[in-house]
Structures are given as C-alpha cells and as structure tokens.
Amino acid sequence: MNVVVIGHGMVGSRFVEDLIAQDPHAHVTVLGREDTQPYNRVLLSSVVAGVTDPALLTMSAARGERVRVRQGIWATEIDRTARTVTDSSGTVHRYDRLVLATGSQARIPDIHGIATDRGLMPGVTVLKDLSDATGIVKRISKARRAVVLGAGVLGMEVATGLAARGLSVTLVHHAARVMERQLGDAASRIATGSLHRLGVKVVTETSVAEAIDRRGVLQAVRLTDGTQVLTDMLIMCAGTIPETSLARRAGLPCERGVLVGEDCASPVDGNVFAIGDCAQPPEGGTGLVAQGWDQAARLVAAWTGRAVARRDAEDDLTNVVRVKASGLDLVTMGLSGKCDHGERDLRAVRISDPAIGRFVEVVVSHGLLVGATIVGDKACASELSAMYTRMLPVPSDPAHLIIRPLAGMTGGVAAKSPKDMDNADTVCNCNTVTKGRIVAAIDDGCTSVDEVARATRAGTGCGDCRAVVGELIQACAADAADSGDKVPALAGRGEG
Ligand SMILES: Cc1cc2nc3c(=O)[nH]c(=O)nc-3n(C[C@H](O)[C@H](O)[C@H](O)COP(=O)(O)OP(=O)(O)OC[C@H]3O[C@@H](n4cnc5c(N)ncnc54)[C@H](O)[C@@H]3O)c2cc1C
C-alpha cells in the first residue's frame, strides 16, 4: 500500500512512525515543508523564554527502506481522480491512501505596513515554527523593547518570556481583559497584576493598527486608540487557522478545518484522511496535540485491524489550560471564568487576594470538581489538577479544596505518593499514558525519565508529567529496595 502523508509536524511524524512500525506492507512518502526533523512545537515559547534549548526539541521519526521523507518540499496539488500529489519540485507521487497533516497557520491580523515584498517587515513575526523562535531569539540580543499582540495563552507565555530576558514588553489585547476565554474579571485582574510585577505592561481594549518603520526596520507601532509605542519587535499571537488550502483546491469539504468523520476520512473520498490541527472531526478541533496524536493512533489501528480505545469524554482533559511561563502560575480547567451565571447545580467557592497575586476558584457539581481557576499558587494548581483529571470525589465542603493545599496540609491528592494512584490513571495526558504502562516500563528496566519517555512516550508532549514519572521511578526503586526484589513492584489499584 502506497501512502502519501502531507505534513511532517508533530502529528504527521507520529502517524508515519506508528504506521511503519505496525504495518509491514505500508510504503510511505512524506512531504514536509519545513527543512527540519520533526520537533516539539509545544515548547517553542520556552525556547523564546530561554528555558529550552532548541536542539532538545527534535522528536523521533520513522526510518528505513519503506519510508521516504522529502524535507523542505511541499505539496502543491492533489489530483483525487488520478490519486496523485504533485510537490514543489514537480515530482508526482501516486497514492492508495492520502493523509493530510498540514497543521495550522498563525493568524496575521490586518495591520497597516507589516507586509513587504519579501514577507513581513523585519522585526515583525509570529511564533509558529522553529525558524520563528530562533529568529526571535536572534533579534532579542539587539532589542530593548517588544510589543506582543494578543493576551491569550501564547501571548502571555511570549510576553513573560521576553520580560524574563530583560526586554521592556507591552502586551496589547483587543478584549477588556487578558485570557478572556478562560478567566473571569477578578482572576484576569490578578493575572494582569502579576504580569506588571514581571515587567509586562498590559494595554487592553485596543489593537495594533500600524507598524512604523525606519529604513525598512520596525521602530514603533501605532495602536487603534492612536497611542504610539516604540518597539524593536512585534510578535503577533492572534490565534491559528487550520491549513486547508490544498484540501479546498482538491474539492474536499472544509469548514474551519478539513471535515472528517470519526474514522478521520473525508466524507466524499474514503482514500483521503485528515489528522491533527488541519482536521475538523465531528467533535471539533481543539488545536491541541493530544487530539492529533489520538487520531494518528486510531487511524493506524483501523488500517492494521487493531483495536485501540478511543479517548472518551472522561479522558478528554484537553480543556486544562496551563500557561507555561516562569513567575506566573496560571491554570484553568473545565468551567472557568463563567461561574457568575448562577447555574443551579454548580457551587463555586473562591478566594481572591490581589495584594499577593493569588486567585483560586473551584466549581463543584454533583460531588465532582468540574472547573477551577488558579492564579499564583503552585500547590493549589497541582492539587486541583489532580482532583480534576482523576475525577476524584470532592469533600462535602468545597472550601476544603482550596484551604487544604493553601495551608500546606498533607494528605492532599497531589501530595500523595504515586503508589496511591490507580494503574488506570492517566499520567501523560498528551499521549494518554497510564500509570500502569509507566510502571510496566520501569519493571522492564527503564531507570530514567528519558528511558520511560522512549518506551511509553510519556512526557514527550508538553512535558508537564515528567516530574510525576520521576517520582514513579523513585517510588519503584524504593519499593524494590524495601522488598529486596530485583524487579520493582509498585502496587497500584485498577488495571494498567
Ligand atoms: C508556540 C506554540 C505553543 C503551543 N503550545 C501547546 C501546548 O501547550 N499544548 C498543546 O497541546 N498544544 C500546543 N500547541 C499546538 C501544537 O503544537 C499543535 O497542536 C501540534 O503541533 C499539531 O500537530 P500537526 O502535525 O497537526 O501540525 P504541525 O505540528 O503544525 O505540523 C504541520 C506541518 O505541516 C507542514 N505543511 C503545511 N502545509 C504543507 C504542504 N502543503 N506540504 C508539506 N508540508 C506542509 C507545516 O509546515 C508543518 O511542518 C502549541 C503550538 C505553538 C505554535
């Protein structure tokens, strides 16, 4: 079977790796526009912040005779009648099955003066690709000031990262409050206060209208309210748009993304599939990597006749939003920012302490935590994330959910030893890896977080779970030492 995959990003590369490993009859041609090995795009804002070395982002990829990767070459045309794809070098590739994994594009707002004959004006950029991140890092050494447009999650990460590198940063946001989709008024005000303390000036209810240059290089921006802000860089973090242009030209139905069914196939062509950020499945696209990796795994399983559990609603923890910024702990999950409507079955408890930049709100329904917002408190964030993702029953008085971690009281969920997690509990949400699988990998001889990552993929997405994996390794080692066993046997409930 000849398979052509368009896009060699986080999801396309994962799909190819799994297909080559699991289907001995598959021959795959991959067209990848970026002239790099596949890499972990999720950590690009950490590269900008100087926390992550770009060399460490490279992801594993399929190798061997049955896979041909054309790096730096992009698909220009799909002919569904002839079942061919033409690439930018003019080569025509025949397929039995075609997989679109073209990701998304950064949205470029309509700003006067940013477009030049050779692309964006020097100093103006988005943060989508490794080349954007390395370009920003290069420019930082010569820059004193930066304007970041958009105070969503990415804009907050970029603004705090640049401030941590010593730049004077202005964060410009169109709405009345930062992260308005996730945060209510009080939480947003407190997050804004924290940004100020970190050296980020926040201006809301305005946008960038014009980029002003001197000899072709950015010098200032003019906001829609007429204010002029001197700057050496403008970084636009204004959202993403699924990359559908090829699919549309090939007559595949698209709305926001390429329309596909639960089987990832186009409704009009059973030989064409779409996965990752470019796809619009029945439940809608999330723009998060966990969904794309799940689609990749399910598609390979369907083609190789294996059963794979679908991420069900209980596993779907993609509505946990975590800002990856040093100096700003900000996590929201489930219902957040919308709890002032007085829904009858919801009970919300909050504390708000602007003086120290702390806001915690929990929303409880039918004995479960269904939402939380945490600004400025690490202990609460990890305790409540654990309660939420593991769907644990909450105390009869929900205030205890906040008080316990704030008081540093032991016995909280996150403070518990990993021994107390069920084997069926998900540790790595990006890759849906359970504690049971991690313990099995440790039993099989993995002794470091990187070895567990290679064996199970846990920790290869956003990396949040790497600390828990480390704890599990230590706990297994302690168990083995206690029992004098060579093979550690970490007790856990449930199946793995
Ligand atoms: C800065 C940043 C931070 C993020 N943070 C998070 C996070 O914390 N958590 C999270 O879950 N997600 C995060 N994401 C989103 C995550 O990176 C995406 O969900 C994931 O990369 C999707 O994988 P994909 O393969 O669908 O698309 P991509 O990884 O974007 O790959 C698509 C590839 O296809 C290529 N391509 C496009 N058109 C063609 C063509 N015609 N021919 C050949 N190649 C083509 C592109 O150049 C690209 O290399 C973040 C994204 C960014 C940019």
Side-chain angles (χ1 to χ4, degrees):
M1 175 176 63
N2 282 326
V3 181
V4 172
V5 177
I6 305 180
H8 203 211
M10 293 186 78
V11 173
S13 60
R14 171 67 64 87
F15 171 77
V16 175
E17 199 181 14
D18 286 358
L19 185 67
I20 288 294
Q22 293 175 36
D23 183 349
H25 306 295
H27 290 260
V28 183
T29 301
V30 194
L31 305 176
R33 186 189 290 274
E34 292 179 80
D35 197 8
T36 54
Q37 289 274 313
Y39 59 87
N40 189 339
R41 201 175 299 279
V42 167
L43 298 180
L44 288 181
S45 51
S46 314
V47 170
V48 168
V51 174
T52 301
D53 181 344
L56 299 179
L57 299 189
T58 305
M59 293 173 37
S60 61
R63 288 181 212 292
E65 284 172 4
R66 290 185 292 117
V67 57
R68 201 158 55 107
V69 179
R70 308 213 64 200
Q71 233 165 253
I73 299 281
W74 58 97
T76 54
E77 211 61 64
I78 300 167
D79 181 337
R80 291 198 292 116
T81 312
R83 289 206 203 151
T84 58
V85 175
T86 306
D87 73 25
S88 50
S89 72
T91 308
V92 176
H93 308 270
R94 254 199 59 75
Y95 66 81
D96 299 310
R97 286 177 180 167
L98 172 65
V99 178
L100 301 171
T102 49
S104 59
Q105 292 177 8
R107 196 175 76 78
I108 299 190
D110 185 16
I111 299 173
H112 184 74
I114 58 171
T116 73
D117 295 345
R118 280 172 292 150
L120 291 172
M121 175 193 289
V124 179
T125 185
V126 294
L127 177 58
K128 191 72 187 54
D129 294 340
L130 189 55
S131 60
D132 299 327
T134 51
I136 292 170
V137 170
K138 220 186 229 165
R139 196 163 272 272
I140 286 172
S141 55
K142 292 180 271 169
R144 284 191 299 135
R145 308 180 193 90
V147 169
V148 177
L149 177 58
V153 178
L154 183 57
M156 304 272 279
E157 291 177 358
V158 171
T160 51
L162 293 176
R165 284 189 180 253
L167 270 70
S168 163
V169 181
T170 305
L171 179 58
V172 177
H173 194 49
H174 68 98
R177 57 179 200 265
V178 300
M179 283 180 66
E180 77 282 3
R181 280 162 60 194
Q182 292 88 9
L183 302 180
D185 279 341
S188 187
R189 261 197 310 277
I190 289 176
T192 301
S194 305
L195 287 168
H196 283 147
R197 276 192 286 278
L198 293 169
V200 177
K201 183 178 175 201
V202 181
V203 285
T204 54
E205 292 183 270
T206 185
S207 188
V208 174
E210 184 181 0
I212 301 164
D213 72 300
R214 188 157 151 206
R215 295 196 201 103
V217 176
L218 180 72
Q219 199 192 25
V221 294
R222 191 173 53 75
L223 305 186
T224 46
D225 62 11
T227 319
Q228 200 161 304
V229 183
L230 288 177
T231 188
D232 306 305
M233 301 166 80
L234 168 62
I235 298 154
M236 300 176 288
C237 303
T240 55
I241 305 164
E243 175 51 72
T244 58
S245 50
L246 258 182
R248 283 178 203 274
R249 284 207 306 276
L252 295 163
C254 299
E255 286 176 359
R256 190 173 143 71
V258 183
L259 287 176
V260 290
E262 289 210 345
D263 56 358
C264 302
S266 166
V268 299
D269 189 334
N271 297 312
V272 180
F273 302 79
I275 54 177
D277 280 3
C278 70
Q280 185 176 329
E283 72 275 18
T286 61
L288 295 172
V289 72
Q291 187 183 39
W293 279 347
D294 177 57
Q295 291 163 340
R298 281 191 289 117
L299 194 54
V300 171
W303 288 9
T304 52
R306 281 162 226 238
V308 68
R310 192 182 153 71
R311 279 168 75 91
D312 57 20
E314 289 189 7
D315 283 337
D316 195 3
L317 309 173
T318 47
N319 55 358
V320 176
V321 174
R322 199 180 300 272
V323 174
K324 303 185 287 292
S326 47
L328 177 62
D329 293 307
L330 200 168
V331 183
T332 68
M333 55 204 87
L335 293 176
S336 64
K338 343 171 166 149
C339 307
D340 299 330
H341 310 309
E343 281 100 338
R344 282 232 310 268
D345 290 337
L346 298 179
R347 188 165 168 202
V349 178
R350 70 184 69 111
I351 63 150
S352 176
D353 189 349
I356 58 162
R358 182 162 69 196
F359 178 94
V360 185
E361 178 179 74
V362 292
V363 187
V364 170
S365 176
H366 302 294
L368 288 177
L369 184 65
V370 294
T373 303
I374 306 106
V375 183
D377 197 284
K378 234 188 199 97
C380 261
S382 73
E383 176 80 7
L384 293 173
S385 303
M387 293 287 305
Y388 179 76
T389 54
R390 284 148 68 181
M391 297 181 73
L392 297 174
V394 299
S396 54
D397 181 353
H400 288 167
L401 285 171
I402 303 178
I403 294 165
R404 265 194 335 218
L406 286 189
M409 283 164 66
T410 54
V413 177
K416 276 186 184 167
S417 149
K419 274 184 181 179
D420 297 325
M421 289 172 72
D422 287 357
N423 275 340
D425 280 342
T426 302
V427 172
C428 173
N429 190 43
C430 293
N431 288 287
T432 327
V433 185
T434 59
K435 172 192 163 186
R437 266 181 67 200
I438 292 169
V439 170
I442 300 168
D443 285 352
D444 286 345
C446 294
T447 55
S448 70
V449 175
D450 285 337
E451 282 175 13
V452 172
R454 273 193 291 277
T456 67
R457 289 175 168 161
T460 57
C462 71
D464 264 356
C465 64
R466 289 175 70 87
V468 178
V469 174
E471 284 175 42
L472 282 168
I473 293 169
Q474 282 175 10
C476 283
D479 250 24
D482 281 353
S483 65
D485 275 356
K486 272 213 165 125
V487 180
L490 184 65
R493 289 159 289 137
E495 52 190 78

